[in-house]
Amino acid sequence: MSRAGARVGVGTRFRYDGESVEVVELAATTAGNEVVLKDVHGCVRRLSLKELLFSDRAEIVPDQAGPSAGDAGEIASVVLSQLRDDERRKVLERAEHVREVLTGYRSRSAELVREGEPRAEYGAREPAEVKYAAKARELGVSVRSIKQWVADFRRHGEAGLVSKHGLSGPTQPSVDDRWVETALEVMVEHTGQSKPSRTLVIERTRARVVARFGPEVVPQPSRATAFRVLEGLERRHPLFRLSTKRNRDIADRPEGPYGKLRPTRPGEYLLMDTTRLDVFAFDPLTLKWVQAELTVAMDWYTRCMTGIRLTPVSTKAVDVSAVLFQSFRPRPAGRDWPRGAVWPEHGIPRTVLVDVDGAMGGGLASPPLVPETVVVDHGRVYVSEHLTSVCRRMGISIQPARLRTGRDKGPVERFFRTLREGLLEALPGYKGPDIHGRGEFPEGDAFFFLDELEEIIREWIAVVYHCRPHASLVDPGLPGLRMSPAQMFEHGMARAGYIEVPRDPDLAFEFLATKWRTVQHYGVEIDRRRYRGPGLPAPGIRSPYDGPVANGWPFQVDPDDITRIYFRDPATRVWHTLAWEHAPVAGMPLSEDALVFARRLAAAKYRYPDDRLAVADLLERWILGLGTTLAERRMALRLSREQAALELPSTGGPEVGSLPSVRRALGEDPRPAEPPVAEPAPEAGDDDEADLGPVDEDDFYADALEDV
């Protein structure tokens, strides 16, 4: 039997730094064992035995044969792990027969003797040839097979008894390597094109092989063999089985090993992204079906969502700034949220810091965090000069992801899928992730307003997503423990010992857009809106700013709430709020888009419209559209029909009255054969008031779009 050991002593040869050396002396010193080496030139050197045995510079030259790491055969664990259960039992049974031939006992130990052992034909005094013959008769095989089993068992143990034919694997088609490489080259060229058929790839491969190497130089495989070759190449470069989009994503994978940023505490990396949701919603301002876009901010370490914002059609840079600001100043939690979904006012988990006021107060919807680095893509809204400048002042680094590499923001991309599978697909108006999964008329069920849909998503994040264990949130010290984002936040605080929180709440105003205007005797005018309030400079004071407007002052404007603007006194550095002159008419936040829409409606309805009249008219529609009762929702749909009759400029979205589902519900022909004819709006009367009573919610969606 060959041995893995090698004797080290005087006369043992080594290869040290590429030279052949021989041990001429062993010495034991107080520092440890040492050896004296002599090379072929007679030069002598003294080394520690540890250096000689474990250094990469030294390699022993054994004087007899034995096992080596470079042997062609596979190791025992690899050989045995490939066996099925029945094959493993057969190998173990064969090993028992071999041990009985060698020792007389199937267990090889006299202490574990079985009944009837040792049998007479396998006794210790019997010659080996007699034992071989007896075992051959017992198993019905030849003596030569028994001898081969014994030899294999002595060299490799049970692994040597495994059938070599069973481990050879499936037979690969014998095709010239030049044909295979050419086929792979053709498949790679189709990555950015439409999906081809296998027959087309085979024909192009054959033509290219002939043109490149000449006719009858490279053997052409048969059609069946070529199909088997393409099946094997599909694992190297997918082309036929998956979608073309998925194939391009796989082809764009980096060739080297994957690497990523590794967060070590909450707030270190903040992932931001925008996606179009797979659900239709209803815009209460324009009374149109819209597709909503969701912008989110996620703390990478904890997977906590620190800010979300739902917008129709397209996302603006101010929306991204608003989401980032929610990380500084989170929105208040809902009144009916469970206690476990509410963060204390100070943002520190209750298990870390007990605060009676924080535990009993209204609480926050998410933890407040000041991110150290924001990871974004290359969209214009994320690389705007305003956002980058604010992040620079706040000390927030911006880390752009690689182009067309969604895996750089993998956690937030996975959140979008979780949101779709865990919430959106259960809502009315869900249209599926792609055209193949879309329903017949999903917009016919869409009856959530945008603000309602945002509140539903926000509450689902707080109640479900933050409290559910995630497979990716683990502690390396406790790999079997799965934590939720809320628990991971507590773990991160305990691990890091601190979190970054906003130092000044007035930093919020720096995220808003800046408008340069002059101060007049009536106040400040921005887009035909006039503002005034305490802290506004007098008209005669010269502005210290050299802005784009002569003698202009900077004012911060929130497009989602134009009822007020903000101004900072350059002398005292104190922020002041200036109110719109028609804000009392609104009585609630009013967006800039809503005012533009109101002006269009007023211009089509009145001869001499003004903002007061436009806002009042819009609020009459808006408050009706924001109603929470089922009857008021029906009224909103009737108003959308009235709006469709107005000749207003197109805003890019489909008119409600032109949707097939709405036309069918209104009793009209859903086929758009002729242009729709404007119809007078139905008058609201006492019949509408009668509908405000209790309504069966199960029957609501069946007649929600019908005329009353």
Side-chain angles (χ1 to χ4, degrees):
M1 179 184 297
S2 59
R3 298 182 57 83
R7 184 183 66 88
V8 176
V10 177
T12 303
R13 292 181 299 166
F14 284 85
R15 191 173 293 107
Y16 189 79
D17 284 342
E19 297 182 359
S20 179
V21 296
E22 183 180 350
V23 177
V24 296
E25 183 180 352
L26 294 173
T29 65
T30 56
N33 296 327
E34 295 183 354
V35 295
V36 178
L37 304 178
K38 184 177 67 173
D39 59 16
V40 294
H41 304 291
C43 297
V44 178
R45 67 182 70 182
R46 193 183 186 101
L47 295 175
S48 66
L49 185 59
K50 180 180 179 181
E51 166 73 13
L52 191 63
L53 295 180
F54 301 106
S55 174
D56 294 336
R57 302 167 60 185
E59 179 184 358
I60 191 172
V61 180
D63 54 358
Q64 58 182 359
S68 174
D71 291 342
E74 295 292 345
I75 61 177
S77 60
V78 174
V79 173
L80 296 175
S81 61
Q82 298 182 69
L83 301 177
R84 301 190 302 270
D85 291 341
D86 56 335
E87 294 175 340
R88 182 183 295 273
R89 287 192 297 269
K90 183 177 180 181
V91 169
L92 296 180
E93 182 180 358
R94 184 175 296 177
E96 290 181 352
H97 288 295
V98 173
R99 284 193 291 266
E100 187 177 19
V101 171
L102 296 177
T103 64
Y105 304 96
R106 292 197 172 191
S107 62
R108 188 186 281 180
S109 175
E111 287 77 8
L112 301 177
V113 61
R114 300 181 183 179
E115 184 179 357
E117 291 183 346
R119 290 186 287 179
E121 58 269 28
Y122 304 111
R125 296 183 180 181
E126 294 294 332
E129 292 294 335
V130 175
K131 298 179 182 180
Y132 294 156
K135 184 60 68 176
R137 290 192 301 269
E138 179 183 349
L139 300 179
V141 296
S142 63
V143 176
R144 182 178 179 182
S145 297
I146 299 298
K147 292 182 178 181
Q148 185 64 47
W149 292 354
V150 172
D152 292 339
F153 183 82
R154 284 174 171 172
R155 286 196 300 267
H156 304 290
E158 284 82 351
L161 300 178
V162 177
S163 174
K164 306 301 185 294
H165 177 73
L167 297 179
S168 60
T171 303
Q172 299 294 333
S174 56
V175 181
D176 194 289
D177 292 339
R178 292 172 290 183
W179 196 96
V180 176
E181 294 301 326
T182 305
L184 181 61
E185 178 183 323
V186 174
M187 294 174 63
V188 171
E189 292 176 356
H190 282 84
T191 300
Q193 303 176 9
S194 300
K195 183 184 297 185
S197 64
R198 291 176 173 83
T199 302
L200 177 62
V201 173
I202 293 174
E203 295 298 331
R204 290 187 176 181
T205 301
R206 289 175 175 173
R208 185 170 300 184
V209 166
V210 172
R212 180 175 299 175
F213 302 102
E216 300 182 358
V217 175
V218 177
Q220 298 285 352
S222 64
R223 179 180 177 85
T225 303
F227 268 81
R228 288 195 295 270
V229 171
L230 294 185
E231 183 179 357
L233 295 178
E234 177 78 5
R235 292 189 291 269
R236 298 173 55 183
H237 186 83
L239 182 63
F240 310 107
R241 179 172 50 89
L242 305 174
S243 64
T244 55
K245 181 179 179 181
R246 179 60 175 166
N247 292 336
R248 288 192 296 268
D249 181 69
I250 295 176
D252 291 337
R253 289 174 177 174
E255 297 181 359
Y258 287 1
K260 68 175 183 178
L261 301 174
R262 300 188 180 276
T264 58
R265 59 175 177 82
E268 186 174 3
Y269 294 105
L270 191 72
L271 305 177
M272 298 190 68
D273 200 3
T274 301
T275 188
R276 179 164 293 184
L277 297 183
D278 301 326
V279 63
F280 284 109
F282 200 71
D283 191 350
L285 302 180
T286 60
L287 298 179
K288 295 181 179 180
W289 307 107
V290 294
Q291 278 190 304
E293 286 191 351
L294 179 65
T295 303
V296 300
M298 170 191 284
D299 177 56
W300 195 342
Y301 182 83
T302 63
R303 306 297 197 273
C304 285
M305 308 306 299
T306 61
I308 68 170
R309 187 172 180 82
L310 199 65
T311 56
V313 184
S314 61
T315 302
K316 303 177 182 178
V318 67
D319 300 322
V320 177
S321 299
V323 172
L324 186 59
F325 175 65
Q326 291 180 28
S327 300
F328 282 69
R329 298 183 67 179
R331 294 188 55 177
R335 292 180 300 175
D336 300 330
W337 288 8
R339 185 174 182 272
V342 178
W343 296 80
E345 296 288 353
H346 43 61
I348 301 178
R350 296 182 176 89
T351 58
V352 179
L353 177 64
V354 177
D355 189 314
V356 177
D357 296 335
M360 301 301 295
L364 303 175
S366 58
L369 287 175
V370 176
E372 180 178 327
T373 302
V374 176
V375 181
V376 298
D377 55 23
H378 294 263
R380 290 189 302 173
V381 295
Y382 290 104
V383 295
S384 63
E385 63 276 7
H386 169 67
L387 183 61
T388 55
S389 299
V390 173
C391 290
R392 173 75 66 172
R393 166 169 159 72
M394 303 292 182
I396 302 174
S397 301
I398 298 180
Q399 175 65 51
R402 290 173 293 181
L403 290 174
R404 297 181 297 275
T405 308
R407 66 183 66 89
D408 284 354
K409 304 189 304 298
V412 71
E413 298 289 351
R414 185 61 177 86
F415 166 78
F416 291 145
R417 175 183 170 185
T418 302
L419 175 65
R420 174 172 61 85
E421 297 178 350
L423 176 65
L424 297 183
E425 65 181 9
L427 298 179
Y430 176 72
K431 64 182 184 64
D434 50 40
I435 190 63
H436 302 287
R438 185 168 180 171
E440 186 176 3
F441 294 111
E443 61 271 20
D445 296 331
F447 215 67
F448 280 115
F449 293 107
L450 278 174
D451 58 334
E452 292 177 325
L453 185 58
E454 180 175 340
E455 291 303 320
I456 290 174
I457 295 175
R458 194 179 300 276
E459 184 173 357
W460 176 83
I461 290 174
V463 178
V464 179
Y465 182 79
H466 281 172
C467 302
R468 185 173 58 188
H470 291 199
S472 60
L473 294 179
V474 297
D475 184 353
L478 299 171
L481 178 63
R482 298 293 184 267
M483 290 184 284
S484 66
Q487 293 172 337
M488 197 66 181
F489 188 87
E490 301 176 11
H491 175 272
M493 279 202 59
R495 178 180 180 181
Y498 70 96
I499 57 174
E500 294 280 351
V501 297
R503 58 183 300 170
D504 189 347
D506 288 341
L507 292 174
F509 302 126
E510 301 190 23
F511 288 91
L512 302 179
T514 301
K515 299 288 186 180
W516 290 89
R517 295 295 185 270
T518 58
V519 178
Q520 305 297 331
H521 63 280
Y522 51 78
V524 179
E525 183 174 346
I526 299 178
D527 296 336
R528 294 160 49 192
R529 304 185 303 269
R530 294 181 178 181
Y531 299 86
R532 61 172 62 92
L536 189 65
I541 299 179
R542 182 174 180 81
S543 172
Y545 300 99
D546 186 16
V549 178
N551 200 31
W553 300 79
F555 299 92
Q556 304 303 110
V557 180
D558 184 2
D560 290 330
D561 186 9
I562 60 174
T563 60
R564 57 180 57 86
I565 61 175
Y566 307 95
F567 170 74
R568 185 170 68 172
D569 192 324
T572 62
R573 318 305 290 177
V574 176
W575 285 94
H576 301 278
T577 302
L578 309 179
W580 184 31
E581 60 181 355
H582 298 308
V585 179
M588 63 179 66
L590 184 68
S591 68
E592 189 172 3
D593 295 336
L595 181 60
V596 173
F597 177 72
R599 286 171 175 171
R600 291 178 180 176
L601 292 180
K605 187 174 182 180
Y606 303 103
R607 184 179 181 88
Y608 300 105
D610 58 8
D611 282 352
R612 180 188 297 273
L613 193 60
V615 172
D617 194 29
L618 176 66
L619 289 178
E620 182 181 354
R621 297 168 176 267
W622 192 5
I623 295 174
L624 189 63
L626 288 176
T628 56
T629 66
L630 304 182
E632 290 172 341
R633 290 172 181 264
R634 294 191 184 96
M635 296 179 189
L637 291 179
R638 290 201 299 272
L639 286 176
S640 69
R641 180 181 178 182
E642 175 186 355
Q643 175 190 326
L646 297 176
E647 295 182 359
L648 300 179
S650 175
T651 57
E655 295 291 339
V656 175
S658 64
L659 292 176
S661 58
V662 177
R663 295 175 62 86
R664 183 180 292 103
L666 295 177
E668 302 173 357
D669 188 357
R671 296 172 296 179
E674 299 179 357
V677 180
E679 298 181 7
E683 296 181 358
D686 296 337
D687 294 340
D688 296 328
E689 296 293 332
D691 290 339
L692 299 180
V695 181
D696 187 0
E697 297 184 1
D698 295 335
D699 297 333
F700 165 63
Y701 289 106
D703 60 351
L705 302 179
E706 296 181 0
D707 286 333
V708 178

